[in-house]
Amino acid sequence: MAKPCVGYLFSYEIFSKNHQSTYLRSEWEFISMADELLRLNGIYKSFAGVRALQGVDLTIERGKINCLVGENGCGKSTLIKIIAGVYKRDAGEIIINGKEYEDLHPIDAIREGIQVIYQDFSLFPNLTVAENIALNEELANGRRLVSWRNVNRIAKDALAKVEVDIPLKARVEEMSVANKQLIAIAKALRQNAQLIIMDEPTSALTEREVSTLFSVIRRLQKQHGIAFLFVSHKLNEVLEISEKMIVMRNGRVVSSGDRSEYDNARLIFEMTGRRITEKSYDFTPDLNQPPLLRVEGLSAEKVLNDIQFELRRGEIVGVTGLLGSGRTQLALALFGMLPTDNGRVYIDEEEVVITSPQDAIQHGIGYVPEDRLTEGLFLEQSISNNVVVRIIDRLRNSMGLLQTRQVKEQANYWVEALSIKTSDPELPVKTLSGGNQQRVVLAKWLASKPRLMILNGPTVGVDVGSKEELHEMIKHLAGEGMGILLISDDIPELLQTCNRILLMRRGHISEEILPKETNENELSAKLIEE
Amino acid sequence: MKRLLSRNETLVAITIIGLILLIGLNNPSFFSLGNIFTLLRTSVVTGILAMGVLIVIVSGGIDVSFTAIAVFGLYVAVKLMKAYMPDAPIWVGFVIASVVGLGLGLINAFFIAQFRLPTLIVTLGTLSMFQGFLLFAIGNEIIRAVPPSMKSFARAAIVRIPMTRGTANLHPAILITIAAIIVTWLLLNYTMLGRGIYALGGSREAAERAGFNVTRIQYFIYGFVGLLSGIAGMTFGSLARQANPQDIVGTELNVIAAVVLGGAQLTGGYGTVLGTVLGVILVVIANSSLILIGVPTVWQRVVIGLIILVGTGIPAIQARRKGKRTVGLADI
Ligand SMILES: Nc1ncnc2c1ncn2[C@@H]1O[C@H](COP(=O)(O)OP(=O)(O)OP(=O)(O)O)[C@@H](O)[C@H]1O
Ligand SMILES: [Mg+2]
């Protein structure tokens, strides 16, 4: 990798000193051509008036790990779809392996070794792991009959390259997200991938799974010279894995270069154009007031064990722990989605029995689940309809008719409050970028103004700039007297938003931590220690 | 072992054994060879039809027009044979019925594949369209005087075993069913086309991205169902020794029930030939033998409905227990 750089500097110097450097320049171009896998020049793309990409220039070299970062809605996913040939660009050049494509079809991109791993992985849940890996290849080879021996051989070989142990005969639907991802990578490898593109691959992974994924990526790069383009909102991950950074803002690449030139602060600055400093949430509850929520000895078979805590009005209580520590189960139990076999729950010192989400809602509890993309949005419906769906009763007049003006007001208020990036709240939710769709789910629950709000990973997939805005929003709601239970494994987030943090281990609250008395390193060490 | 127990096929097999024991212990004549051969003869048509329905359901679609196709094929074949070649051998009738079935199936495929219409809507429409066209344009009277080759086919037997009272005959039509089962099994498990059908049922989008030609697969599916239905119709007519344009139609749900009981899921992607065969056996036994243990005919449908509810409910509950949550937050 060092060679062309040297060549470049060298030739550039000569070029600028005497004007007879054509020989050297062409040599540089020759070298660069050989190393360049993909080049985009001035790519434009609009959707019905929304300018998603406005002149993107980008090069990707062979065998390098690239990270693409940028705020929600800046055009990352759109760019990926253009590279994959799924969307047609409005203008610009695409050059892959030295060949310019006037009209790039998905099949061309695949032939050139570009493999995109979509968020849904394009796997078949009903088929076995082996078949999922081998199917595309069998198809591409024009086979008509299935040789199961061949299928197993292909799959075994591919998984061996990834160096993971996944049962070939299991159905993909039984696999964890992390395994599905590895299966998708194995599948891509069998199709001669030169460049593997992943759009937010880590948003549903645990820390351990992320580190497995990263070691797989590094190994594939080293042993097979495969390049990666990796989109993520988790800047610490980006800084860990990438060799080259690409930062987008408003449909353009605003900054790109070697990893060494970037740190957290610079990335944030390039992405948002401003510097972000968050203040922590200082709150001392009034102990004379009765607690809003009191949980006593809550247990559920195998997953929750004697949970005990209180939450007062205006408090933001963080719940953290590794995956499987019971943090999500606690939320599900409080929201009536997980049967409990012991324990009492009091709201305003009155005992309540919650066995279904309806009960929970009745008692003023709201829950924003972890996998918001699959749960809770009507993708074909407008943004405003989605925002008001939980408060529809309140927006009816005495005749039972919906008051359009108030619906509009509500929708506009939340679109503004959560900075949902759209040109019109009447557009369907599916036209929003991933991170903006998540904000709609949040808006929907926040609009219903529950007394107690349980947020599970509220900022997964949300960019840093907006994260801060969301945190301010949460603090503001708490300031108005809402009680908030914030489940998260994002340590800076916990430290900056919560006034108390409950650490869970094996279904039990093992420790209560005050953000003032700890720091990031200490808390993350505590999180992973068994 | 645990895997085997949790498989749907095992569950159905256990139910069948239970039912057989229950009926047989109350009425030993159930186990007579004659009764078994009769049961086999009864399952012939349902068996053929079920293979077609299985393929459609695996692909994530549903076809309710296959009974209309079956009777259409039968009626046209008998009418043509009577009019132009009364002495033709039976296979001519089968060829005509299959070709007619194939053609009607392709009409379904055309609407489904070209216009991307929901399969239930299309086949509900064609069900009444085919039936109506048959009654008004081709004929509405029952043809009892079927060609002689059909009459002799009805009396044919591959096995004749003398019993104390008469003989127990095994009808050769069972071979057609067995052939349909083997072909479907090979198709689904050993051809790329078959895997494409599973892939389509698992995720249409992923199937397209993988490079399957979904349109072509759909043409095949509905054409194949049509063809099998034509054959089933002709078989039915030959066994009944008549061509009644009102027959078969109305039994769709029986066949679909057999397939669903066998483990196929209406959401697509799941279902096996073995399961479907077991499902057919279960439905046929329930339909024709519950009466032997004193369940009145009118209650049979209720019992079958119960079996379906329990049979499809248990796996669903098991799946939920395993933690695959099926409740979405969207519906609260
Ligand atoms: N199909 C579409 N129709 C209309 N607008 C669209 C469509 N797809 C994307 N957009 C718009 O294009 C812009 C870029 O969206 P894109 O999905 O590329 O963002 P992103 O960078 O991936 O964001 P995120 O980090 O939230 O996933 C957004 O303003 C989005 O609303
Ligand atoms: Mg995106």
Side-chain angles (χ1 to χ4, degrees):
Chain A
M1 238 29 12
K3 214 171 159 194
C5 273
V6 173
Y8 177 77
L9 288 175
F10 185 49
S11 68
Y12 182 75
E13 248 153 48
I14 292 180
F15 182 71
S16 53
K17 276 180 190 147
N18 62 48
H19 295 255
Q20 300 219 316
S21 62
T22 36
Y23 169 73
L24 279 168
R25 264 191 77 77
S26 66
E27 183 187 53
W28 146 241
E29 269 171 8
F30 172 74
I31 294 169
S32 79
M33 284 270 287
D35 276 344
E36 202 174 277
L37 192 86
L38 171 74
R39 172 187 282 276
L40 304 179
N41 287 333
I43 302 288
Y44 283 82
K45 176 73 186 175
S46 301
F47 299 99
V50 180
R51 293 207 207 130
L53 299 179
Q54 311 183 43
V56 172
D57 299 318
L58 180 76
T59 53
I60 288 181
E61 288 155 52
R62 266 170 226 295
K64 257 206 172 171
I65 300 177
N66 304 266
C67 283
L68 178 59
V69 296
E71 294 191 294
N72 293 135
C74 70
K76 303 179 295 295
S77 300
T78 308
L79 183 65
I80 287 174
K81 286 184 185 143
I82 289 201
I83 297 174
V86 174
Y87 285 167
K88 300 270 160 277
R89 62 192 184 273
D90 299 341
E93 281 182 323
I94 299 185
I95 299 155
I96 310 176
N97 289 319
K99 188 168 168 217
E100 191 185 336
Y101 279 88
E102 279 296 325
D103 195 10
L104 185 74
H105 289 280
I107 191 78
D108 301 322
I110 291 170
R111 282 215 189 93
E112 295 284 2
I114 295 181
Q115 287 284 333
V116 180
I117 296 175
Y118 293 97
Q119 256 165 343
D120 64 357
F121 307 125
S122 290
L123 295 175
F124 301 102
N126 55 331
L127 303 183
T128 61
V129 172
E131 199 171 6
N132 265 286
I133 294 174
L135 198 62
N136 283 36
E137 188 173 345
E138 298 257 286
L139 253 175
N141 292 343
R143 280 180 167 278
R144 294 186 168 265
L145 297 181
V146 183
S147 148
W148 289 102
R149 202 187 310 159
N150 212 20
V151 166
N152 281 330
R153 189 184 52 72
I154 290 174
K156 217 184 240 164
D157 177 84
L159 286 177
K161 261 192 198 161
V162 184
E163 288 186 30
V164 289
D165 200 17
I166 295 175
L168 289 177
K169 293 226 158 29
R171 282 198 175 146
V172 160
E173 65 186 350
E174 296 162 17
M175 296 288 125
S176 65
V177 178
N179 275 352
K180 281 186 189 153
Q181 211 156 55
L182 296 173
I183 293 165
I185 292 178
K187 189 172 108 182
L189 288 181
R190 283 304 301 195
Q191 294 171 74
N192 272 325
Q194 305 290 310
L195 168 64
I196 295 182
I197 304 180
M198 294 194 262
D199 198 351
E200 299 189 40
T202 62
S203 51
L205 301 191
T206 64
E207 283 194 33
R208 202 165 300 160
E209 289 167 336
V210 171
S211 74
T212 311
L213 176 68
F214 282 1
S215 63
V216 167
I217 289 179
R218 288 204 186 94
R219 194 165 50 238
L220 290 175
Q221 178 206 19
K222 218 166 270 151
Q223 292 177 359
H224 304 278
I226 293 169
F228 285 85
L229 178 65
F230 183 94
V231 176
S232 174
H233 288 293
K234 298 183 182 167
L235 298 187
N236 53 346
E237 288 175 8
V238 168
L239 287 165
E240 181 191 335
I241 186 81
S242 83
E243 295 170 327
K244 184 183 170 189
M245 291 287 182
I246 303 162
V247 186
M248 283 183 74
R249 190 159 85 212
N250 293 332
R252 280 194 198 92
V253 172
V254 289
S255 157
S256 76
D258 206 69
R259 151 76 179 87
S260 57
E261 297 164 23
Y262 292 85
D263 59 13
N264 205 45
R266 169 151 186 223
L267 274 183
I268 294 176
F269 181 70
E270 301 278 12
M271 280 165 69
T272 62
R274 61 203 164 103
R275 301 197 186 277
I276 291 174
T277 42
E278 271 196 72
K279 285 200 298 285
S280 56
Y281 185 60
D282 259 335
F283 180 81
T284 335
D286 178 0
L287 291 175
N288 295 322
Q289 290 263 328
L292 172 64
L293 171 76
R294 189 151 66 86
V295 177
E296 262 180 19
L298 193 70
S299 301
E301 199 188 345
K302 283 186 199 146
V303 288
L304 290 180
N305 175 17
D306 194 22
I307 300 282
Q308 199 112 352
F309 71 96
E310 287 181 0
L311 190 153
R312 279 160 207 279
R313 277 199 179 68
E315 271 201 301
I316 305 176
V317 174
V319 177
T320 189
L322 294 175
L323 215 84
S325 61
R327 49 173 219 238
T328 293
Q329 282 74 14
L330 173 59
L332 293 178
L334 288 175
F335 199 61
M337 290 174 68
L338 180 85
T340 52
D341 36 42
N342 236 327
R344 294 161 191 274
V345 175
Y346 300 86
I347 287 192
D348 282 331
E349 286 303 339
E350 203 171 302
E351 185 171 357
V352 294
V353 179
I354 298 171
T355 54
S356 72
Q358 282 82 353
D359 292 346
I361 291 168
Q362 206 96 70
H363 293 297
I365 302 177
Y367 175 53
V368 176
E370 210 168 10
D371 44 353
R372 291 184 288 276
L373 280 190
T374 52
E375 296 190 73
L377 279 185
F378 300 100
L379 288 176
E380 305 287 335
Q381 290 279 329
S382 71
I383 298 163
S384 64
N385 280 352
N386 272 284
V387 170
V388 301
V389 68
R390 300 213 53 80
I391 50 168
I392 224 128
D393 287 335
R394 285 182 227 160
L395 297 176
R396 273 192 215 152
N397 61 17
S398 50
M399 314 243 310
L401 294 174
L402 214 53
Q403 293 168 295
T404 335
R405 200 174 50 86
Q406 296 196 7
V407 170
K408 265 218 174 87
E409 265 169 22
Q410 275 289 330
N412 286 337
Y413 172 78
W414 287 105
V415 163
E416 177 125 346
L418 298 182
S419 332
I420 295 171
K421 195 182 167 194
T422 178
S423 52
D424 182 358
E426 295 310 314
L427 288 174
V429 164
K430 66 170 185 204
T431 65
L432 293 178
S433 78
N436 282 298
Q437 291 185 6
Q438 303 214 5
R439 294 174 204 204
V440 176
V441 186
L442 265 172
K444 168 177 124 176
W445 282 96
L446 292 176
S448 71
K449 290 264 159 69
R451 280 194 283 180
L452 170 68
M453 178 69 128
I454 307 171
L455 299 168
N456 200 349
T459 58
V460 171
V462 171
D463 65 66
V464 270
S466 324
K467 234 182 197 172
E468 177 225 28
E469 289 169 21
L470 276 176
H471 291 160
E472 288 311 313
M473 186 80 217
I474 293 171
K475 290 173 193 168
H476 173 75
L477 289 167
E480 287 182 345
M482 194 185 280
I484 289 169
L485 200 62
L486 176 77
I487 300 166
S488 173
D489 55 3
D490 181 335
I491 287 164
E493 169 166 289
L494 289 164
L495 292 177
Q496 277 152 11
T497 3
C498 305
N499 59 306
R500 268 193 303 145
I501 301 169
L502 307 175
L503 180 63
M504 288 188 69
R505 274 194 202 116
R506 284 184 229 99
H508 189 71
I509 294 178
S510 65
E511 205 173 334
E512 182 178 321
I513 300 161
L514 294 178
K516 274 178 282 186
E517 295 166 6
T518 184
N519 58 40
E520 280 185 33
N521 290 339
E522 194 183 72
L523 187 54
S524 54
K526 270 189 181 154
L527 188 62
I528 49 177
E529 108 198 355
E530 277 298 319
Chain B
M1 189 62 201
K2 207 164 181 184
R3 236 194 145 78
L4 190 70
L5 269 180
S6 67
R7 276 182 62 163
N8 204 293
E9 284 92 341
T10 324
L11 215 77
V12 184
I14 292 172
T15 318
I16 294 177
I17 294 171
L19 195 61
I20 287 178
L21 287 179
L22 186 72
I23 298 169
L25 293 181
N26 279 296
N27 194 331
S29 74
F30 179 79
F31 290 124
S32 74
L33 210 53
N35 186 48
I36 290 171
F37 283 179
T38 312
L39 279 179
L40 281 176
R41 185 177 169 134
T42 324
S43 31
V44 162
V45 174
T46 316
I48 303 173
L49 291 173
M51 289 302 125
V53 172
L54 169 67
I55 287 187
V56 182
I57 290 185
V58 165
S59 79
I62 183 98
D63 186 340
V64 292
S65 71
F66 61 93
T67 49
I69 296 180
V71 78
F72 201 115
L74 163 68
Y75 202 78
V76 170
V78 172
K79 226 170 168 174
L80 283 180
M81 279 172 87
K82 272 186 60 132
Y84 301 105
M85 40 196 161
D87 298 319
I90 185 81
W91 62 261
V92 174
F94 275 105
V95 170
I96 300 173
S98 328
V99 171
V100 170
L102 178 66
L104 297 181
L106 290 178
I107 294 181
N108 278 338
F110 174 75
F111 285 111
I112 289 165
Q114 303 299 336
F115 303 115
R116 285 218 178 188
L117 295 174
T119 54
L120 178 64
I121 308 279
V122 168
T123 54
L124 264 178
T126 53
L127 168 69
S128 33
M129 203 173 91
F130 295 157
Q131 174 82 357
F133 188 80
L134 176 65
L135 290 173
F136 291 110
I138 302 181
N140 55 9
E141 68 277 13
I142 303 170
I143 304 176
R144 292 218 168 74
V146 292
S149 60
M150 273 176 83
K151 278 191 187 138
S152 58
F153 184 68
R155 284 190 301 269
I158 39 174
V159 185
R160 277 181 213 278
I161 295 172
M163 308 290 283
T164 41
R165 277 178 295 156
T167 52
N169 295 337
L170 183 59
H171 195 274
I174 192 75
L175 298 179
I176 302 177
T177 311
I178 292 173
I181 291 171
I182 294 176
V183 168
T184 310
W185 181 73
L186 289 174
L187 172 80
L188 281 180
N189 292 303
Y190 291 97
T191 67
M192 278 317 272
L193 181 61
R195 302 322 289 168
I197 295 174
Y198 278 101
L200 175 59
S203 161
R204 184 189 173 115
E205 212 178 351
E208 278 168 353
R209 281 190 200 147
F212 279 110
N213 186 336
V214 169
T215 310
R216 221 163 61 198
I217 295 179
Q218 286 187 321
Y219 267 100
F220 173 83
I221 293 170
Y222 294 93
F224 186 75
V225 176
L227 182 103
L228 282 181
S229 307
I231 293 174
M234 189 63 197
T235 313
F236 181 90
S238 307
L239 293 175
R241 271 179 276 186
Q242 65 171 24
N244 177 353
Q246 310 274 11
D247 265 343
I248 315 181
V249 173
T251 62
E252 313 63 61
L253 289 185
N254 242 335
V255 182
I256 294 173
V259 176
V260 171
L261 267 178
Q265 287 179 16
L266 289 173
T267 43
Y270 301 87
T272 60
V273 169
L274 176 64
T276 304
V277 169
L278 292 172
V280 169
I281 294 175
L282 183 56
V283 166
V284 166
I285 293 182
N287 262 335
S288 52
S289 311
L290 283 175
I291 195 149
L292 294 181
I293 50 169
V295 178
T297 335
V298 282
W299 280 98
Q300 277 174 20
R301 300 192 72 91
V302 177
V303 173
I304 291 182
L306 268 179
I307 295 178
I308 293 181
L309 274 181
V310 174
T312 52
I314 288 178
I317 292 168
Q318 274 176 346
R320 183 125 11 121
R321 279 264 170 82
K322 262 195 268 166
K324 286 186 219 150
R325 272 191 309 123
T326 43
V327 250
L329 270 179
D331 37 55
I332 49 170

